[in-house]
Amino acid sequence: MDGKNTAEQVVTTGKHEIIDIIKNKTIIKNPETFFGIGDDAAVCNFAGDEKTVISTDMFAEGIHFDLTYTPLKHLGYKVVVAGISDIYAMNAIPVQITVGLAISKRFGVAQIEEIYDGVASACEFYGVDLIGGDLTSSLTGICISVTSIGKANAEDIVYRHGAKPTDLLCVTGDLGAAYIGLQLLEREKAVFEGNPNKQPQLDGYDYILRRQLKPETHKNLLTFFKKKDIKPTSMTDISAGLASEIISICKESSLGCEIFEERLPIAEETEKMCREFNIPPVVAALNGGEDYEMLFTIALKNYEKIKDNKLFSIIGSINAADKGTNIVTRDGSILPLDQNSNLAMYENI
């Protein structure tokens, strides 16, 4: 295969498909590897019934963040939250992280300290230890790699592939705020580049800006599960958009689902900003990404235990694979969820 065809294949192949290719080429050789590629984190068996859960995330300047409007301290905080979110998504407790930082000579010691101040703040809030990492030079800006380490008893770990027919599909918090906050920042950046004397208009948008620049993840969700004596049947965090994550759970579980537009939790601030941009709120919720909320399934028999909770919303249910993965709109139309489309099909719902 020539270089041109290889490049075209990468462009037209999604992230999950590439991961599947890597997974199929990987052979597990060590008995300590309990579960490898294919979920939010890997699971290792080092001693007894308690498993070690490990995940790695990478963040590249110009791809995952823009320093035009991202404070370095917020960046340090955000990468930790993104990393440990994967551990929580396995129903495990994060305990340590390592951070690898590649940084160009346009930054000095003070800027590096800002990043690590953010890392330290997140570690303090979530009770996680920074235990090491690496620091090296970069020719093109900043690249950060975070390895998150957690622990859980073997029987408590939750994977994406465990969903069952009739399970309730649930999501924490609200959706689309991080995405629409990013649109606001990009708009104000464009205005500033066109007229450096014009100040950004960001007053009154604190919520959506915070969700983009300094997100949080739900560390208290696991406490809720234990208190109610509930174990989700499947779970993942929402980093790439709700539609993509739902499809991932359904694919890994060999099932379908039905979700309802009217049940998607969208904050008032998000809806207001969507109207400014003429973006349907459902599009921001389905395809936005970086919310770091939790998406999970719970057996229908547990409905009475969760129906009055304030942490999460029931947005639909799991069904047979031949039913597909669909969204029911407010007017009763049934549309397919498609992680590879630009969701233009949803613009009128």
Side-chain angles (χ1 to χ4, degrees):
M1 181 180 292
D2 61 31
K4 179 180 178 181
N5 288 335
T6 302
E8 289 175 350
Q9 183 180 18
V10 171
V11 169
T12 57
T13 303
K15 176 180 176 181
H16 291 293
E17 286 76 12
I18 293 173
I19 291 173
D20 285 342
I21 291 170
I22 298 170
K23 178 180 178 180
N24 292 334
K25 290 179 178 291
T26 301
I27 299 173
I28 300 300
K29 296 175 284 296
N30 297 302
E32 292 84 1
T33 305
F34 186 79
F35 187 90
I37 297 169
D39 217 294
D40 287 273
V43 180
C44 295
N45 182 24
F46 293 121
D49 290 333
E50 190 169 82
K51 305 297 183 184
T52 300
V53 183
I54 305 169
S55 179
T56 298
D57 293 271
M58 187 170 288
F59 308 86
E61 183 179 352
I63 302 295
H64 302 100
F65 58 90
D66 187 332
L67 293 181
T68 303
Y69 48 71
T70 305
L72 291 173
K73 186 172 181 179
H74 285 8
L75 175 62
Y77 193 98
K78 182 174 182 176
V79 298
V80 175
V81 169
I84 64 175
S85 180
D86 287 334
I87 305 301
Y88 285 124
M90 303 294 292
N91 203 35
I93 302 297
V95 288
Q96 292 112 8
I97 62 165
T98 65
V99 175
L101 175 64
I103 192 163
S104 73
K105 62 182 180 181
R106 82 174 195 262
F107 300 95
V109 173
Q111 285 75 38
I112 295 174
E113 282 190 291
E114 283 187 60
I115 294 172
Y116 280 93
D117 283 346
V119 169
S121 180
C123 286
E124 175 68 22
F125 184 76
Y126 289 98
V128 173
D129 296 329
L130 173 63
I131 60 170
D134 194 15
L135 181 63
T136 189
S137 299
S138 166
L139 293 176
T140 57
I142 295 178
C143 186
I144 306 177
S145 175
V146 177
T147 295
S148 304
I149 305 165
K151 62 180 181 179
N153 291 328
E155 65 270 18
D156 292 332
I157 295 176
V158 176
Y159 301 91
R160 295 179 193 171
H161 61 243
K164 301 290 188 296
T166 75
D167 280 355
L168 302 172
L169 195 56
C170 307
V171 63
T172 60
D174 58 83
L175 303 169
Y179 170 77
I180 208 66
L182 177 62
Q183 304 314 301
L184 171 62
L185 290 166
E186 286 289 328
R187 183 187 73 183
E188 295 306 309
K189 174 187 174 182
V191 171
F192 177 77
E193 289 177 339
N195 182 4
N197 294 319
K198 188 174 180 61
Q199 293 299 310
Q201 301 298 311
L202 300 175
D203 292 342
Y205 299 110
D206 293 356
Y207 181 71
I208 59 175
L209 291 174
R210 184 172 71 251
R211 291 296 303 273
Q212 168 56 218
L213 297 174
K214 189 177 177 288
E216 303 289 356
T217 189
H218 283 271
K219 65 178 182 178
N220 52 352
L221 182 64
L222 274 62
T223 303
F224 176 88
F225 290 151
K226 288 185 179 298
K227 181 179 179 180
K228 296 292 185 178
D229 191 27
I230 292 172
K231 179 184 175 182
T233 53
S234 67
M235 186 155 57
T236 188
D237 70 335
I238 303 175
S239 56
L242 178 65
S244 175
E245 309 300 359
I246 288 176
I247 290 170
S248 176
I249 282 180
C250 289
K251 178 183 176 183
E252 294 295 329
S253 303
S254 300
L255 292 168
C257 75
E258 184 175 70
I259 67 170
F260 296 85
E261 181 196 359
E262 63 184 10
R263 296 185 188 176
L264 298 181
I266 303 173
E268 181 180 345
E269 295 91 334
T270 302
E271 292 192 346
K272 177 183 176 182
M273 196 74 244
C274 283
R275 288 193 292 271
E276 284 194 35
F277 281 103
N278 197 29
I279 296 173
V282 65
V283 172
L286 288 174
N287 212 35
E290 290 199 302
D291 286 312
Y292 299 112
E293 299 292 352
M294 292 294 164
L295 172 71
F296 53 94
T297 54
I298 288 180
L300 181 60
K301 67 180 181 181
N302 290 315
Y303 173 74
E304 290 297 324
K305 294 182 180 181
I306 67 171
K307 65 179 182 179
D308 296 322
N309 89 90
K310 305 299 182 183
L311 283 176
F312 57 86
S313 305
I314 301 170
I315 62 171
S317 61
I318 299 294
N319 52 33
D322 60 6
K323 298 289 183 64
T325 54
N326 302 304
I327 180 171
V328 180
T329 69
R330 293 181 187 277
D331 66 4
S333 300
I334 299 176
L335 299 174
L337 290 171
D338 185 355
Q339 65 185 0
N340 295 317
S341 77
N342 61 10
L343 295 184
M345 66 182 72
Y346 303 109
E347 289 183 354
N348 295 316
I349 70 175

